[in-house]
Every structure is written in C-alpha cells, then in structure tokens.
Amino acid sequence: MLRFTYLAAAVSSALVISSAQASSHREAPHLTQMPAVDATDFYMFNSYESGKEGFVTMIANYVPLQDAYGGPNYFPMDPAAEYVIHIDNNGDAVEDISFAFTFDKTLGAEGEGVALPVGPEGEEKMIKVPLKNVGPVSAGDASNANFMETYEIEMVSGDMRSGSRTSLMPADSDMFKKPLDYIGDKTFGDADAYANYASQFVYMFSIEGCDTQGRVFVGQRKDPFVVNLGDTFDLVNYVPVEGDSAPGAGDAGGFPGGITQDSANDDLKDKNVTSIAVEVPASCVTGDGNGVIGGWTTASLPQARILNPNATYEKPAVSGGAMTQVSRLGSPLVNELVIGIGDKDKFSSSEPADDGQFADYVTNPVLPELLSILFLEPVNQTLGTELTTLAPTNFPRNDLVTAFLTGFEGVNQQSTVTPSEMLRLNTGIPATPAGEQSAFGVAGNDLAGFPNGRRPGDDVVDIALRVVMGRLCYPIPVNGEDTDLGLCAPEDAAVGNVPFTDGAPVDASMFGSSFPYLTTPISGSAE
C-alpha cells in the first residue's frame, strides 16, 4: 500500500501542476485581457429548493478573481457585451432557446453624478464625487447610491443570429436592476443587511407560451469554485492524495502524508464573482426531446472597438460591427485541461456544433502522455516497478468522449447524439435535497449531480482529476450498485482508482438551498 501511495502521489502531483491554470478562471490567453466577459463557471441543475420541483436553475459566473476591496469602481459588466445562456433541447448541438443579457450603467443625480459643494461660503463649487456611493445604502433606502446598473433580457428562439427575439420584463417592476457590489460594512451594515438588500433584485418574469413564471438574479456573489492554488504553484507543496480513510474523517487512515480536507486549502475563499442566475420551468425549455438539455454560456463583443482619445463616462470608446463571441463555457475544466494552448481562444469563439475540430484533444489527450513522459522513469526507479506507462492506454479515449462530448446513456445523453462540449442535464431525474447530495455526483451514487448537470456543491476538481487518469475504467456506483460502464477496463488505467484530491472541500452545505443558491459576497471591508 505504501509503494502504491508513492506512485499515487507522484502522478497526482504532476496532474495538479498541469491543472493549476484551470483553477484560476483565466482559461484562454486573449480572454485574460477582457475580464468583464470572462466566464468562470457554469452551473445547470434541477432546482432543489423546496417547492421548486420541476424547475431548472442555470448560473453563469463572470469577472474572475474579484478582490472584495477592489474599489472605487468595483466590477461592473461590460455595456457593449452580450452575455448569453444557451439551451439545446434536441441534441443537434445548436441552441434552441437562449437568454441574452445586455447591461447599461448610469450615474446618480439623474445621470450627472452626485456633486458636493466645495469651497468657502458663497463661493462653493459643485464638485462630482469619485465614489459609487455617498453614504449608507440599505434595502429601504438606496438614495446614497451614485451608480446603478440595469439590464435587459431577450429570449431567443432558434439560432442566436437568425432566431426570433422576445423581450422579457420583470413582473413587478419597470426594469431589471443589479445591486451594488458589496462595498463594505459601513455602507451596508453587515452581511445580513447586504443579503436583505440584494434579495430585492430577484425578479419574477413571464415566458411567452409558458404558464409558470421564471426567476432571475444578477449580482455579485462569493466565488463558489473551490481549489488549492498557492501550494500547488509552490512545486505542489503537499501530497495530493486523500490522507483520511474518507474525506473529512480526521483519522489519518488514508494515504500516509496525504493532504486532508480543509477549507483553508481553498485559495478562492476570499474572492467574489458576478452571477447571472436564471430559474425556469423545465417544461418550458425541454422541447420535444427526451428531457435531457444541453447548456453553455457565452459572451460576445462588437467586432471593433475604437478608443475615444477624449474619453467621457458615456463614451470611453465607440464599438461597432457584428457581435463576436469571445468567451464560451459549458462543462468545467475542458478548455483548461483538454484543449491545447494554441487553440484555447479558438475554442472560446467556437460553437458546440463545430466541436469535431477539437475531437483529437479528447480521443487522444496529451495531458496523460505528458505526465507519463515526465514521471514514468522516476516512478519506476523509486518503486522498483516496470510500468510501461502511467497514462490510460485505451484509444480512442471513449471514456472521455462520453464524459465530455456525448453524455452517459440512460443518464444525461440526449435522444439525438451530436458529439459536442456542453453541460448536459436530465430534467427527469429528481433533484437531490441539499442535505443528501454527494459532492462526487454520479460517481458518489447521486444521479442528480455532475456530470448530470452541475450543482454548486459538486467537487468537479477532484472528479476531473480522477476521470482524466482513468477513473471511468473502474466500476462506479449507480443506484447503489458498482457498475462497469463498459468504456474501458481497469488494466487500461494503471492509476485510475487513485483518490486524487487538492484537499479543498466543497459540498452543498456551503451554499444556500434556495435561489440563487450562491452565497452573499465577501465584504470589501471584512477582516
């Protein structure tokens, strides 16, 4: 067991090194220059809020690595961009329904910006303040706010370019508004007061042809993604194999010296993101398919942007030309861990229907081979073994094709199968209540979790680490029974059953159990 432990540690150390960029939310080189349109995570799951059976929640997070104290401008959305959540309900890898969001921003004092009298009495000058608020802001009084973001939603039926568009409106308001970011506790009082303030920005809306209303919220949230980054960049300053007999057991009964689960290992614990959360009746988006929907999020910008040499608040630049997709995210970690760096921006600008061009990255993945090249010889020398490779040997990698491109038959595979990268959700599988969810989703005997959609509490980092090295070549529990998926065999993956982990735990208890599920953001003045 000890010799196997060393093997596991060596391999998983290499794997975590290679995945570190994946965890930073900055998945494509060009996109790093445009954080306002950089998608960090996409979630799609059957709503598990009590009384919301039969609803689907989709959450698209943008603007990565937000430091809560990032004033005075904080983190507005790009008013030139279009942020979209897409749904394919018939399996052709083309969107059938999309929810498109565009944003606008205005200053206080009817767009002029709040100004204060400055100077000796009788000679004061009205000087505009540099802050987004000039006093406390609360649920009952937002008059001190000096900045407001509003947004419009269009539901697009059919292709984004040629489909019909219908404007959606809030049920009890004249416009959709976005709350101010959590500037700090002197502004909002405390976390509970901010939560009360932000809750006013949850809106009901009607969908044409749908008898039941949906809900939407756009605003800052604590980053729900959990990952161990700092020690990883420090030459993997831990043994990334579970050190307890079970995660959180605290008994040191696992791999000797292995890392144990601790929230202190989460280097994103003090970061915020901006969430676009939509909840809709499943019956209104499933179409005529088998109840499995595919989902992904994109952000697009006008093709040209000309900077104003005499910039103003209203017009810092002029944008024009066709809307051009610059960001795309479906399943987590695909662009980061699977797509080669030279094609990452190409993937960000592509559509699922065209994913055949990236097939070799999945059927013949380079990451496991790199790990074997780097670590096979030292592992064999250290352990006195004669392994010929550490990488899975089943080619093409049908296990990864299933996980990333087609879904699993009987779980989240659409009736028409078009290999393409998207998050797939079977709306007919009942949601698992928060208290009963497994962080390992389907592999944890919880069919309502990843890769059947993705919930905030699904530990996709640990799952992805294991899958890429061959976990699906071994039986996994399905409805309580170990099941051979028939995708590959144990002899195809020498380290496929190693419990890889970054030691940063995540589960449903860390989130809310009602819409929009993600928790109150970190305060800008929190200690």
Side-chain angles (χ1 to χ4, degrees), residues 41 59 120 171 181 192 268 353 398 465:
D41 286 285
I59 305 173
D181 292 343
D192 289 340
L268 300 183
N398 289 327
L465 292 177

Side-chain angles (χ1 to χ4, degrees), residues 376-428:
L376 177 61
E377 183 176 349
V379 164
N380 279 333
Q381 289 177 349
T382 300
L383 303 180
T385 55
E386 296 182 356
L387 296 173
T388 58
T389 183
L390 302 180
T393 56
N394 52 303
F395 294 104
R397 286 289 302 273
N398 289 327
D399 54 329
L400 299 188
V401 170
T402 301
F404 293 141
L405 301 181
T406 67
F408 294 84
E409 185 177 1
V411 179
N412 67 334
Q413 190 175 95
Q414 295 176 287
S415 53
T416 297
V417 179
T418 304
S420 51
E421 197 289 295
M422 63 178 77
L423 202 58
R424 291 173 171 84
L425 173 68
N426 188 333
T427 62

Side-chain angles (χ1 to χ4, degrees), residues 49 60 66 87 123 134 141 202 266 298 322 332 345 387 429 456 462:
E49 177 181 347
Q66 295 180 18
I87 298 171
E123 299 180 14
V134 293
D141 184 3
V202 175
D266 175 21
T298 64
D345 285 306
L387 296 173
I429 293 178
D462 284 8

Side-chain angles (χ1 to χ4, degrees), residues 12-21 23 227-238 240 259 265 267 501-502:
S12 54
S13 294
L15 187 54
V16 175
I17 288 174
S18 300
S19 67
Q21 183 179 353
S23 304
V227 67
N228 187 346
L229 275 182
D231 285 342
T232 297
F233 284 126
D234 185 25
L235 302 178
V236 189
N237 196 8
Y238 59 93
I259 192 168
N265 294 327
D267 289 326
T501 180
D502 65 346

Side-chain angles (χ1 to χ4, degrees), residues 3 27 56 63 69 83-84 88 121 127 143 173 177 209 223 257 283 289 343 347 355 368 384 413 461 469 498-499 519:
R3 293 174 66 189
E27 71 272 9
V56 171
V63 197
Y69 49 80
Y83 303 81
V84 186
D88 165 30
E121 185 176 355
I127 305 298
S143 60
S173 179
K177 299 179 182 179
D223 193 336
S283 60
D343 283 331
F347 180 86
D355 281 347
Q413 190 175 95
V461 173
M469 292 305 291
V498 172
T519 57

